[in-house]
Amino acid sequence: MSQFTMSQFAFPPPPPSPAADAFRAEIRDFLAAEVEHRPALDRAQSWNGLDPAFSRKLGARGWLGLTWPKRYGGQERSGLERYVLLEELLAAGAPVGAHWIAERQSGPSLLRYGTEAQKAAILPRIAAGECFFCIGMSEPDSGSDLASVRTRAEREGDGWRVNGTKLWTTNATHCHLMILFCRTGPLDREHRHAGTSQFLVDLTLPGITIRPVRNLVGEHHFNEVVFEDVRLPGDALLGREGEGWAQVTGELAYERSGPERFLSSFRLLVELVRVLRPAADARAEIALGRLGAEIITLRRMSRSVAGLLQAGADPALEAAMVKDLGALVEQAIPEIARDLVADGPPTPQARAFAEVLAYTTLHAPSFSLRGGTREILRGIIARGLGLR
Amino acid sequence: MTNSQADARSDPQADDAGAMLRETADRLLADRLTPQIRARGAAGEWPGDLWAALDELGLPAAILPEAAGGFGVPVADALSLLTVAGRHALPLPLADTMLAGLALARAGIAIPPGPLAVAQGSEVRLDAAGRATGQAWGVSFGRHARAVVVLADGPDGPVLVALPRDALAIEPGLDIAGDPCDAVRVEAVPAPSAPAPFGAAELRAAGAATRALMMAGALDAVSAMTVGYANERRQFGRAIGQFQAVQQSLAVLAGQAASAAVAAGLAAEAVAAWAGASGPGLLPAVAAAKVRTGEAAGQGTAIAHQVHGAIGFTQEHRLHRYTGRLRAWRDAFGREAEWAQVLGRHLIAAGPDGLWPAITAA
Ligand SMILES: Cc1cc2nc3c(=O)[nH]c(=O)nc-3n(C[C@H](O)[C@H](O)[C@H](O)COP(=O)(O)OP(=O)(O)OC[C@H]3O[C@@H](n4cnc5c(N)ncnc54)[C@H](O)[C@@H]3O)c2cc1C
């Protein structure tokens, strides 16, 4: 029986990390200089905010790929130090979107499955903030049911020929490379996950067309990426042919448990405190306290998963749980914030609050879709409980 | 056992003391907390034999420093016993006996043997001759306690007082789970006391932490038994756990249970630091933990009853022992709104730029 944790899910207390505590102060100094002057609405964009120059600045400090081996441009620091860096960047509303995917999951996938040549060629560029990645998983007819993808790579000579369409590909127009998940073998109805592979795709290759898809606010983050007889060299294969499913699901503990899974609305909470502080009543205090309790608890869960990842465990279920609970809090924040603040004269603070509230409210539906929907996550948890 | 708490956390193997305690308690309660004992307790009888068995193993004293009769287990490990108490819906005052002992030891007051109580609220004055007058309420198992610990106004400031059982006038009451929860009165009663090493708000927070730990344990049990039931109960030709609607509810229940466990761990660490008079104090960690575990108890209880159907609504079924105590512990030492306000005030006072540092400090 473990300390305070469940019989079914294990969230051990995050291990202490004095190095991470010292690092936090250094990060806060940097953010005070680099981010604090930015407008509230920019900061509210959280990990949607794109600023390649800022990403390069982080790279120059050695703050991308912090845990990676030095020979690939990393710093060989601990996962908990990286955790502190990520949460501080997000809490401050730093524009981390350009490098986020590359640093979070593409780089780690390369480290795990890449050939020496792939690692040597790409990882140092990610670490420098000069190489950005997008995720080529979803398709028009394959969302939650990712195994049903129809994009296909066929062997041709010593390379591959790819045809198909990826959709919802965030930031494709700003990225250099995509990790493409597609079919390389026939669909076997009994073993739907077999016959899939991953590729490193240079997005400048002939035959690739990227079309913007505007989101409901009119922003361009999403894209449709069409592959028409795109020829990939043999060394574009990532990992092993036919192992795509295992590789892609291996990314998910990284993708689902990080601080971005409960901090997407955090800047709204900051603006809320700014407008409430002069005259907070009991109702406001209670509402803030409830959200604070959720965030404090989720942060500990998320750090616990970071500790497990660092220790080499596979906390995929715990990660699904963090993401499910985190999205609930992220979506509760705008609902509660709008209720606590009445309209009034358009002071600069009131205007900033209103802008950030609108931004966060309109983006909130995506929090329980991207990275695996609420229902899919709960299905994963249920399976972990021994149901099905 | 000499390893510090930090060691115990960085190395799971070093959590031996806590794991041993929990296993000992778990085995004892699995054997001895029989339906008969529960029935006797529910009928108002004190299950003295079960208490004696706990006492014999030293569990109520495990939290104490060696000098006060404990065996020097890290406080957070000793507190983790309360998750086991919750997992068994224990109808005995283990939590308050541990907390009273911890408080009395810190004040340097001799710890009476036997079960102890900590009042959730009190209005007690101590005169210059050391006699206590006043009332205390929300005293779990007060009628069975050898002493009731309260914070009182003394002639020279706040004092911690151990009101001795023989001098108490008891107004018996029951909490929502049917466990004793009494009010007591004293009139010029000589009582051991010492200058209070902490304020009433801290004692209340420490009490809240014990309830958070028990709620975490109870939710763990409720989640496990509800999953078990869903796998057994068949309708429409299959186990109800195969229906996706039921699965999604069970996933939510498990998430709430996990979240409560994590929040309770936060509270235990805060109490351990407080017991050693170090660390950032009980707030905001305990406030966050009591809010989160209380909310989890509310959601978890509702789902567990829904999935159990009518059988879970019977006296015979064990579910209500857990859900009833979850409701009682949710209320004890401050409901969610009370602690949310404490935490919210703290966060708002931190201001827009101090909000995040206040969260990382918790
Ligand atoms: C902001 C944003 C960014 C994204 N970025 C990327 C990206 O960069 N790359 C990429 O590949 N994808 C990206 N996605 C796509 C994302 O992965 C999908 O939206 C997600 O997997 C769900 O697929 P879908 O939208 O097709 O919904 P569907 O799968 O069609 O689901 C619709 C609804 O049906 C429910 N549902 C589906 N199947 C089941 C089931 N078995 N049981 C119960 N309910 C079910 C879902 O939970 C959902 O509520 C992004 C999405 C968003 C919103």
Side-chain angles (χ1 to χ4, degrees), chain A residues 101 134-140 142-145 167-170 222 366 369-376, chain B residues 244 248:
Chain A
I101 304 284
C134 55
I135 304 173
M137 297 189 197
S138 306
E139 299 184 1
S142 302
S144 298
D145 184 10
L167 193 56
W168 317 125
T169 319
T170 302
F222 284 147
S366 69
L369 296 172
R370 63 186 183 190
T373 70
R374 169 170 296 141
E375 290 73 20
I376 293 302
Chain B
Q244 198 184 47
Q248 299 263 313

PDB file of all heavy atoms in Angstrom, chain A residues 101 134-140 142-145 167-170 222 366 369-376, chain B residues 244 248, ligand 1:
ATOM      1  N   ILE A 101       5.764  22.028 -29.332  1.00  0.00           N
ATOM      2  CA  ILE A 101       5.584  20.630 -29.742  1.00  0.00           C
ATOM      3  C   ILE A 101       6.941  19.956 -29.942  1.00  0.00           C
ATOM      4  O   ILE A 101       7.156  18.813 -29.535  1.00  0.00           O
ATOM      5  CB  ILE A 101       4.789  20.566 -31.063  1.00  0.00           C
ATOM      6  CG1 ILE A 101       3.452  21.293 -30.924  1.00  0.00           C
ATOM      7  CG2 ILE A 101       4.630  19.141 -31.537  1.00  0.00           C
ATOM      8  CD1 ILE A 101       2.397  20.590 -30.164  1.00  0.00           C
ATOM      9  N   CYS A 134       5.395  20.008 -36.164  1.00  0.00           N
ATOM     10  CA  CYS A 134       3.957  19.867 -35.974  1.00  0.00           C
ATOM     11  C   CYS A 134       3.602  18.385 -35.907  1.00  0.00           C
ATOM     12  O   CYS A 134       4.415  17.519 -36.230  1.00  0.00           O
ATOM     13  CB  CYS A 134       3.175  20.573 -37.083  1.00  0.00           C
ATOM     14  SG  CYS A 134       3.600  20.059 -38.743  1.00  0.00           S
ATOM     15  N   ILE A 135       2.368  18.140 -35.453  1.00  0.00           N
ATOM     16  CA  ILE A 135       1.906  16.767 -35.215  1.00  0.00           C
ATOM     17  C   ILE A 135       0.978  16.352 -36.347  1.00  0.00           C
ATOM     18  O   ILE A 135      -0.094  16.941 -36.526  1.00  0.00           O
ATOM     19  CB  ILE A 135       1.115  16.684 -33.890  1.00  0.00           C
ATOM     20  CG1 ILE A 135       1.960  17.198 -32.732  1.00  0.00           C
ATOM     21  CG2 ILE A 135       0.621  15.272 -33.647  1.00  0.00           C
ATOM     22  CD1 ILE A 135       1.191  17.298 -31.424  1.00  0.00           C
ATOM     23  N   GLY A 136       1.363  15.348 -37.098  1.00  0.00           N
ATOM     24  CA  GLY A 136       0.528  14.878 -38.204  1.00  0.00           C
ATOM     25  C   GLY A 136      -0.193  13.600 -37.843  1.00  0.00           C
ATOM     26  O   GLY A 136       0.135  12.522 -38.357  1.00  0.00           O
ATOM     27  N   MET A 137      -1.165  13.729 -36.971  1.00  0.00           N
ATOM     28  CA  MET A 137      -1.944  12.549 -36.585  1.00  0.00           C
ATOM     29  C   MET A 137      -3.347  12.599 -37.193  1.00  0.00           C
ATOM     30  O   MET A 137      -3.724  11.739 -37.975  1.00  0.00           O
ATOM     31  CB  MET A 137      -2.054  12.445 -35.059  1.00  0.00           C
ATOM     32  CG  MET A 137      -0.730  12.247 -34.330  1.00  0.00           C
ATOM     33  SD  MET A 137      -1.043  11.868 -32.574  1.00  0.00           S
ATOM     34  CE  MET A 137       0.559  12.182 -31.846  1.00  0.00           C
ATOM     35  N   SER A 138      -4.156  13.633 -36.823  1.00  0.00           N
ATOM     36  CA  SER A 138      -5.571  13.643 -37.199  1.00  0.00           C
ATOM     37  C   SER A 138      -5.773  13.804 -38.697  1.00  0.00           C
ATOM     38  O   SER A 138      -4.943  14.399 -39.397  1.00  0.00           O
ATOM     39  CB  SER A 138      -6.276  14.796 -36.488  1.00  0.00           C
ATOM     40  OG  SER A 138      -6.060  14.716 -35.106  1.00  0.00           O
ATOM     41  N   GLU A 139      -6.903  13.292 -39.156  1.00  0.00           N
ATOM     42  CA  GLU A 139      -7.310  13.411 -40.557  1.00  0.00           C
ATOM     43  C   GLU A 139      -8.788  13.765 -40.601  1.00  0.00           C
ATOM     44  O   GLU A 139      -9.476  13.692 -39.578  1.00  0.00           O
ATOM     45  CB  GLU A 139      -7.074  12.072 -41.286  1.00  0.00           C
ATOM     46  CG  GLU A 139      -5.609  11.663 -41.293  1.00  0.00           C
ATOM     47  CD  GLU A 139      -5.364  10.396 -42.102  1.00  0.00           C
ATOM     48  OE1 GLU A 139      -6.334   9.852 -42.674  1.00  0.00           O
ATOM     49  OE2 GLU A 139      -4.198   9.974 -42.154  1.00  0.00           O
ATOM     50  N   PRO A 140      -9.298  14.082 -41.793  1.00  0.00           N
ATOM     51  CA  PRO A 140     -10.725  14.434 -41.871  1.00  0.00           C
ATOM     52  C   PRO A 140     -11.627  13.338 -41.288  1.00  0.00           C
ATOM     53  O   PRO A 140     -12.590  13.639 -40.612  1.00  0.00           O
ATOM     54  CB  PRO A 140     -10.965  14.627 -43.369  1.00  0.00           C
ATOM     55  CG  PRO A 140      -9.630  15.019 -43.908  1.00  0.00           C
ATOM     56  CD  PRO A 140      -8.608  14.298 -43.071  1.00  0.00           C
ATOM     57  N   SER A 142     -10.472  10.747 -39.298  1.00  0.00           N
ATOM     58  CA  SER A 142      -9.829  10.050 -38.176  1.00  0.00           C
ATOM     59  C   SER A 142      -9.460  11.063 -37.105  1.00  0.00           C
ATOM     60  O   SER A 142      -8.475  11.789 -37.236  1.00  0.00           O
ATOM     61  CB  SER A 142      -8.558   9.338 -38.633  1.00  0.00           C
ATOM     62  OG  SER A 142      -8.857   8.417 -39.657  1.00  0.00           O
ATOM     63  N   GLY A 143     -10.285  11.126 -36.093  1.00  0.00           N
ATOM     64  CA  GLY A 143     -10.008  12.006 -34.959  1.00  0.00           C
ATOM     65  C   GLY A 143      -9.660  11.157 -33.750  1.00  0.00           C
ATOM     66  O   GLY A 143      -8.532  10.718 -33.593  1.00  0.00           O
ATOM     67  N   SER A 144     -10.669  10.898 -32.942  1.00  0.00           N
ATOM     68  CA  SER A 144     -10.451  10.040 -31.776  1.00  0.00           C
ATOM     69  C   SER A 144      -9.966   8.656 -32.199  1.00  0.00           C
ATOM     70  O   SER A 144      -9.146   8.036 -31.534  1.00  0.00           O
ATOM     71  CB  SER A 144     -11.746   9.898 -30.981  1.00  0.00           C
ATOM     72  OG  SER A 144     -12.161  11.158 -30.500  1.00  0.00           O
ATOM     73  N   ASP A 145     -10.502   8.185 -33.299  1.00  0.00           N
ATOM     74  CA  ASP A 145     -10.138   6.849 -33.776  1.00  0.00           C
ATOM     75  C   ASP A 145      -8.904   6.953 -34.664  1.00  0.00           C
ATOM     76  O   ASP A 145      -8.967   6.771 -35.880  1.00  0.00           O
ATOM     77  CB  ASP A 145     -11.329   6.261 -34.554  1.00  0.00           C
ATOM     78  CG  ASP A 145     -11.068   4.844 -34.997  1.00  0.00           C
ATOM     79  OD1 ASP A 145     -10.063   4.243 -34.555  1.00  0.00           O
ATOM     80  OD2 ASP A 145     -11.877   4.328 -35.804  1.00  0.00           O
ATOM     81  N   LEU A 167      -5.286  16.835 -41.020  1.00  0.00           N
ATOM     82  CA  LEU A 167      -6.129  17.986 -40.694  1.00  0.00           C
ATOM     83  C   LEU A 167      -5.878  18.413 -39.246  1.00  0.00           C
ATOM     84  O   LEU A 167      -5.451  17.590 -38.436  1.00  0.00           O
ATOM     85  CB  LEU A 167      -7.599  17.604 -40.890  1.00  0.00           C
ATOM     86  CG  LEU A 167      -8.629  18.748 -40.889  1.00  0.00           C
ATOM     87  CD1 LEU A 167      -8.306  19.799 -41.932  1.00  0.00           C
ATOM     88  CD2 LEU A 167     -10.028  18.180 -41.120  1.00  0.00           C
ATOM     89  N   TRP A 168      -6.181  19.657 -38.971  1.00  0.00           N
ATOM     90  CA  TRP A 168      -6.030  20.248 -37.623  1.00  0.00           C
ATOM     91  C   TRP A 168      -4.573  20.394 -37.239  1.00  0.00           C
ATOM     92  O   TRP A 168      -4.249  20.490 -36.055  1.00  0.00           O
ATOM     93  CB  TRP A 168      -6.759  19.449 -36.528  1.00  0.00           C
ATOM     94  CG  TRP A 168      -8.122  18.992 -36.894  1.00  0.00           C
ATOM     95  CD1 TRP A 168      -8.598  17.729 -36.854  1.00  0.00           C
ATOM     96  CD2 TRP A 168      -9.206  19.810 -37.347  1.00  0.00           C
ATOM     97  NE1 TRP A 168      -9.906  17.688 -37.263  1.00  0.00           N
ATOM     98  CE2 TRP A 168     -10.299  18.954 -37.576  1.00  0.00           C
ATOM     99  CE3 TRP A 168      -9.357  21.177 -37.608  1.00  0.00           C
ATOM    100  CZ2 TRP A 168     -11.530  19.415 -38.046  1.00  0.00           C
ATOM    101  CZ3 TRP A 168     -10.582  21.633 -38.069  1.00  0.00           C
ATOM    102  CH2 TRP A 168     -11.644  20.758 -38.284  1.00  0.00           C
ATOM    103  N   THR A 169      -3.693  20.374 -38.236  1.00  0.00           N
ATOM    104  CA  THR A 169      -2.274  20.387 -37.945  1.00  0.00           C
ATOM    105  C   THR A 169      -1.872  21.781 -37.469  1.00  0.00           C
ATOM    106  O   THR A 169      -1.718  22.704 -38.279  1.00  0.00           O
ATOM    107  CB  THR A 169      -1.480  20.004 -39.206  1.00  0.00           C
ATOM    108  OG1 THR A 169      -2.171  18.943 -39.854  1.00  0.00           O
ATOM    109  CG2 THR A 169      -0.087  19.583 -38.846  1.00  0.00           C
ATOM    110  N   THR A 170      -1.700  21.909 -36.177  1.00  0.00           N
ATOM    111  CA  THR A 170      -1.416  23.210 -35.580  1.00  0.00           C
ATOM    112  C   THR A 170      -0.056  23.722 -36.042  1.00  0.00           C
ATOM    113  O   THR A 170       0.937  22.987 -35.999  1.00  0.00           O
ATOM    114  CB  THR A 170      -1.462  23.108 -34.045  1.00  0.00           C
ATOM    115  OG1 THR A 170      -2.749  22.632 -33.664  1.00  0.00           O
ATOM    116  CG2 THR A 170      -1.193  24.440 -33.386  1.00  0.00           C
ATOM    117  N   PHE A 222      -4.729  26.194 -37.064  1.00  0.00           N
ATOM    118  CA  PHE A 222      -4.986  24.910 -37.730  1.00  0.00           C
ATOM    119  C   PHE A 222      -4.569  24.955 -39.196  1.00  0.00           C
ATOM    120  O   PHE A 222      -4.654  26.005 -39.829  1.00  0.00           O
ATOM    121  CB  PHE A 222      -6.490  24.679 -37.846  1.00  0.00           C
ATOM    122  CG  PHE A 222      -7.220  24.264 -36.619  1.00  0.00           C
ATOM    123  CD1 PHE A 222      -8.533  24.697 -36.443  1.00  0.00           C
ATOM    124  CD2 PHE A 222      -6.673  23.411 -35.686  1.00  0.00           C
ATOM    125  CE1 PHE A 222      -9.276  24.297 -35.355  1.00  0.00           C
ATOM    126  CE2 PHE A 222      -7.420  23.008 -34.586  1.00  0.00           C
ATOM    127  CZ  PHE A 222      -8.720  23.452 -34.420  1.00  0.00           C
ATOM    128  N   SER A 366     -11.854  24.001 -26.747  1.00  0.00           N
ATOM    129  CA  SER A 366     -10.790  23.168 -27.320  1.00  0.00           C
ATOM    130  C   SER A 366      -9.990  22.425 -26.245  1.00  0.00           C
ATOM    131  O   SER A 366      -9.314  21.446 -26.537  1.00  0.00           O
ATOM    132  CB  SER A 366      -9.840  24.028 -28.162  1.00  0.00           C
ATOM    133  OG  SER A 366      -9.091  24.899 -27.339  1.00  0.00           O
ATOM    134  N   LEU A 369     -10.729  18.877 -26.096  1.00  0.00           N
ATOM    135  CA  LEU A 369     -10.689  18.179 -27.387  1.00  0.00           C
ATOM    136  C   LEU A 369      -9.256  17.829 -27.773  1.00  0.00           C
ATOM    137  O   LEU A 369      -8.928  16.673 -28.038  1.00  0.00           O
ATOM    138  CB  LEU A 369     -11.302  19.051 -28.489  1.00  0.00           C
ATOM    139  CG  LEU A 369     -12.778  19.396 -28.350  1.00  0.00           C
ATOM    140  CD1 LEU A 369     -13.198  20.427 -29.395  1.00  0.00           C
ATOM    141  CD2 LEU A 369     -13.630  18.140 -28.490  1.00  0.00           C
ATOM    142  N   ARG A 370      -8.408  18.868 -27.798  1.00  0.00           N
ATOM    143  CA  ARG A 370      -7.031  18.681 -28.261  1.00  0.00           C
ATOM    144  C   ARG A 370      -6.308  17.686 -27.341  1.00  0.00           C
ATOM    145  O   ARG A 370      -6.552  17.657 -26.137  1.00  0.00           O
ATOM    146  CB  ARG A 370      -6.296  20.024 -28.283  1.00  0.00           C
ATOM    147  CG  ARG A 370      -6.169  20.641 -26.907  1.00  0.00           C
ATOM    148  CD  ARG A 370      -5.572  22.039 -26.958  1.00  0.00           C
ATOM    149  NE  ARG A 370      -5.397  22.554 -25.606  1.00  0.00           N
ATOM    150  CZ  ARG A 370      -5.084  23.798 -25.307  1.00  0.00           C
ATOM    151  NH1 ARG A 370      -4.898  24.700 -26.260  1.00  0.00           N
ATOM    152  NH2 ARG A 370      -4.932  24.171 -24.066  1.00  0.00           N
ATOM    153  N   GLY A 371      -5.430  16.899 -27.969  1.00  0.00           N
ATOM    154  CA  GLY A 371      -4.632  15.962 -27.171  1.00  0.00           C
ATOM    155  C   GLY A 371      -5.423  14.782 -26.641  1.00  0.00           C
ATOM    156  O   GLY A 371      -4.968  14.080 -25.738  1.00  0.00           O
ATOM    157  N   GLY A 372      -6.606  14.525 -27.191  1.00  0.00           N
ATOM    158  CA  GLY A 372      -7.454  13.429 -26.697  1.00  0.00           C
ATOM    159  C   GLY A 372      -8.663  14.016 -26.009  1.00  0.00           C
ATOM    160  O   GLY A 372      -8.523  14.795 -25.076  1.00  0.00           O
ATOM    161  N   THR A 373      -9.856  13.650 -26.475  1.00  0.00           N
ATOM    162  CA  THR A 373     -11.064  14.271 -25.902  1.00  0.00           C
ATOM    163  C   THR A 373     -11.333  13.728 -24.506  1.00  0.00           C
ATOM    164  O   THR A 373     -10.822  12.682 -24.109  1.00  0.00           O
ATOM    165  CB  THR A 373     -12.313  13.987 -26.761  1.00  0.00           C
ATOM    166  OG1 THR A 373     -12.646  12.598 -26.636  1.00  0.00           O
ATOM    167  CG2 THR A 373     -12.094  14.339 -28.224  1.00  0.00           C
ATOM    168  N   ARG A 374     -12.165  14.483 -23.802  1.00  0.00           N
ATOM    169  CA  ARG A 374     -12.568  14.077 -22.448  1.00  0.00           C
ATOM    170  C   ARG A 374     -13.082  12.638 -22.432  1.00  0.00           C
ATOM    171  O   ARG A 374     -12.696  11.833 -21.590  1.00  0.00           O
ATOM    172  CB  ARG A 374     -13.677  15.031 -21.980  1.00  0.00           C
ATOM    173  CG  ARG A 374     -14.390  14.616 -20.723  1.00  0.00           C
ATOM    174  CD  ARG A 374     -15.269  15.745 -20.232  1.00  0.00           C
ATOM    175  NE  ARG A 374     -14.451  16.880 -19.876  1.00  0.00           N
ATOM    176  CZ  ARG A 374     -14.746  18.164 -20.110  1.00  0.00           C
ATOM    177  NH1 ARG A 374     -15.886  18.466 -20.681  1.00  0.00           N
ATOM    178  NH2 ARG A 374     -13.932  19.117 -19.761  1.00  0.00           N
ATOM    179  N   GLU A 375     -13.944  12.300 -23.394  1.00  0.00           N
ATOM    180  CA  GLU A 375     -14.551  10.968 -23.382  1.00  0.00           C
ATOM    181  C   GLU A 375     -13.504   9.891 -23.636  1.00  0.00           C
ATOM    182  O   GLU A 375     -13.552   8.815 -23.038  1.00  0.00           O
ATOM    183  CB  GLU A 375     -15.654  10.896 -24.451  1.00  0.00           C
ATOM    184  CG  GLU A 375     -16.886  11.733 -24.130  1.00  0.00           C
ATOM    185  CD  GLU A 375     -16.675  13.245 -24.282  1.00  0.00           C
ATOM    186  OE1 GLU A 375     -15.722  13.655 -24.976  1.00  0.00           O
ATOM    187  OE2 GLU A 375     -17.454  14.011 -23.686  1.00  0.00           O
ATOM    188  N   ILE A 376     -12.557  10.196 -24.520  1.00  0.00           N
ATOM    189  CA  ILE A 376     -11.519   9.217 -24.816  1.00  0.00           C
ATOM    190  C   ILE A 376     -10.615   9.034 -23.591  1.00  0.00           C
ATOM    191  O   ILE A 376     -10.260   7.915 -23.212  1.00  0.00           O
ATOM    192  CB  ILE A 376     -10.716   9.657 -26.063  1.00  0.00           C
ATOM    193  CG1 ILE A 376     -11.605   9.621 -27.311  1.00  0.00           C
ATOM    194  CG2 ILE A 376      -9.464   8.810 -26.245  1.00  0.00           C
ATOM    195  CD1 ILE A 376     -12.241   8.283 -27.631  1.00  0.00           C
TER     196      ILE A 376
ATOM    197  N   GLN B 244     -20.834   2.314 -21.504  1.00  0.00           N
ATOM    198  CA  GLN B 244     -19.903   3.441 -21.525  1.00  0.00           C
ATOM    199  C   GLN B 244     -20.312   4.550 -20.554  1.00  0.00           C
ATOM    200  O   GLN B 244     -19.462   5.175 -19.937  1.00  0.00           O
ATOM    201  CB  GLN B 244     -19.795   4.001 -22.941  1.00  0.00           C
ATOM    202  CG  GLN B 244     -18.560   4.854 -23.085  1.00  0.00           C
ATOM    203  CD  GLN B 244     -18.474   5.501 -24.440  1.00  0.00           C
ATOM    204  OE1 GLN B 244     -19.431   6.062 -24.938  1.00  0.00           O
ATOM    205  NE2 GLN B 244     -17.304   5.433 -25.034  1.00  0.00           N
ATOM    206  N   GLN B 248     -17.724   6.045 -17.847  1.00  0.00           N
ATOM    207  CA  GLN B 248     -17.293   7.446 -17.765  1.00  0.00           C
ATOM    208  C   GLN B 248     -17.492   7.974 -16.342  1.00  0.00           C
ATOM    209  O   GLN B 248     -16.656   8.698 -15.821  1.00  0.00           O
ATOM    210  CB  GLN B 248     -18.070   8.291 -18.778  1.00  0.00           C
ATOM    211  CG  GLN B 248     -17.837   7.844 -20.227  1.00  0.00           C
ATOM    212  CD  GLN B 248     -16.776   8.650 -20.960  1.00  0.00           C
ATOM    213  OE1 GLN B 248     -16.775   9.865 -20.919  1.00  0.00           O
ATOM    214  NE2 GLN B 248     -15.858   7.978 -21.627  1.00  0.00           N
TER     215      GLN B 248
HETATM  216  C1  LIG C   1      -6.962  23.327 -30.767  1.00  0.00           C
HETATM  217  C2  LIG C   1      -6.711  22.004 -31.396  1.00  0.00           C
HETATM  218  C3  LIG C   1      -5.461  21.710 -31.872  1.00  0.00           C
HETATM  219  C4  LIG C   1      -5.220  20.488 -32.494  1.00  0.00           C
HETATM  220  N1  LIG C   1      -3.982  20.252 -33.026  1.00  0.00           N
HETATM  221  C5  LIG C   1      -3.747  19.089 -33.652  1.00  0.00           C
HETATM  222  C6  LIG C   1      -2.490  18.844 -34.256  1.00  0.00           C
HETATM  223  O1  LIG C   1      -1.597  19.684 -34.216  1.00  0.00           O
HETATM  224  N2  LIG C   1      -2.299  17.680 -34.894  1.00  0.00           N
HETATM  225  C7  LIG C   1      -3.258  16.714 -34.948  1.00  0.00           C
HETATM  226  O2  LIG C   1      -3.001  15.667 -35.489  1.00  0.00           O
HETATM  227  N3  LIG C   1      -4.483  16.919 -34.399  1.00  0.00           N
HETATM  228  C8  LIG C   1      -4.750  18.089 -33.761  1.00  0.00           C
HETATM  229  N4  LIG C   1      -5.978  18.316 -33.212  1.00  0.00           N
HETATM  230  C9  LIG C   1      -7.030  17.333 -33.424  1.00  0.00           C
HETATM  231  C10 LIG C   1      -7.404  16.555 -32.170  1.00  0.00           C
HETATM  232  O3  LIG C   1      -6.461  15.573 -31.909  1.00  0.00           O
HETATM  233  C11 LIG C   1      -8.804  15.981 -32.410  1.00  0.00           C
HETATM  234  O4  LIG C   1      -9.692  17.056 -32.358  1.00  0.00           O
HETATM  235  C12 LIG C   1      -9.220  14.946 -31.416  1.00  0.00           C
HETATM  236  O5  LIG C   1      -8.436  13.790 -31.510  1.00  0.00           O
HETATM  237  C13 LIG C   1     -10.686  14.572 -31.591  1.00  0.00           C
HETATM  238  O6  LIG C   1     -10.992  14.240 -32.908  1.00  0.00           O
HETATM  239  P1  LIG C   1     -12.193  14.955 -33.687  1.00  0.00           P
HETATM  240  O7  LIG C   1     -12.082  16.396 -33.486  1.00  0.00           O
HETATM  241  O8  LIG C   1     -12.220  14.414 -35.037  1.00  0.00           O
HETATM  242  O9  LIG C   1     -13.511  14.495 -32.895  1.00  0.00           O
HETATM  243  P2  LIG C   1     -14.234  13.088 -32.985  1.00  0.00           P
HETATM  244  O10 LIG C   1     -13.271  11.991 -32.747  1.00  0.00           O
HETATM  245  O11 LIG C   1     -15.087  13.042 -34.193  1.00  0.00           O
HETATM  246  O12 LIG C   1     -15.165  13.203 -31.691  1.00  0.00           O
HETATM  247  C14 LIG C   1     -16.332  14.020 -31.635  1.00  0.00           C
HETATM  248  C15 LIG C   1     -17.014  13.732 -30.296  1.00  0.00           C
HETATM  249  O13 LIG C   1     -17.331  12.340 -30.216  1.00  0.00           O
HETATM  250  C16 LIG C   1     -16.752  11.781 -29.066  1.00  0.00           C
HETATM  251  N5  LIG C   1     -16.325  10.406 -29.335  1.00  0.00           N
HETATM  252  C17 LIG C   1     -15.579   9.951 -30.365  1.00  0.00           C
HETATM  253  N6  LIG C   1     -15.332   8.646 -30.228  1.00  0.00           N
HETATM  254  C18 LIG C   1     -15.912   8.273 -29.073  1.00  0.00           C
HETATM  255  C19 LIG C   1     -15.991   7.041 -28.348  1.00  0.00           C
HETATM  256  N7  LIG C   1     -15.400   5.907 -28.790  1.00  0.00           N
HETATM  257  N8  LIG C   1     -16.668   7.041 -27.201  1.00  0.00           N
HETATM  258  C20 LIG C   1     -17.268   8.171 -26.729  1.00  0.00           C
HETATM  259  N9  LIG C   1     -17.216   9.343 -27.359  1.00  0.00           N
HETATM  260  C21 LIG C   1     -16.545   9.386 -28.516  1.00  0.00           C
HETATM  261  C22 LIG C   1     -15.570  12.664 -28.757  1.00  0.00           C
HETATM  262  O14 LIG C   1     -15.183  12.554 -27.408  1.00  0.00           O
HETATM  263  C23 LIG C   1     -16.111  14.022 -29.106  1.00  0.00           C
HETATM  264  O15 LIG C   1     -16.870  14.497 -28.046  1.00  0.00           O
HETATM  265  C24 LIG C   1      -6.240  19.532 -32.603  1.00  0.00           C
HETATM  266  C25 LIG C   1      -7.497  19.813 -32.079  1.00  0.00           C
HETATM  267  C26 LIG C   1      -7.753  21.044 -31.506  1.00  0.00           C
HETATM  268  C27 LIG C   1      -9.126  21.325 -30.977  1.00  0.00           C
END
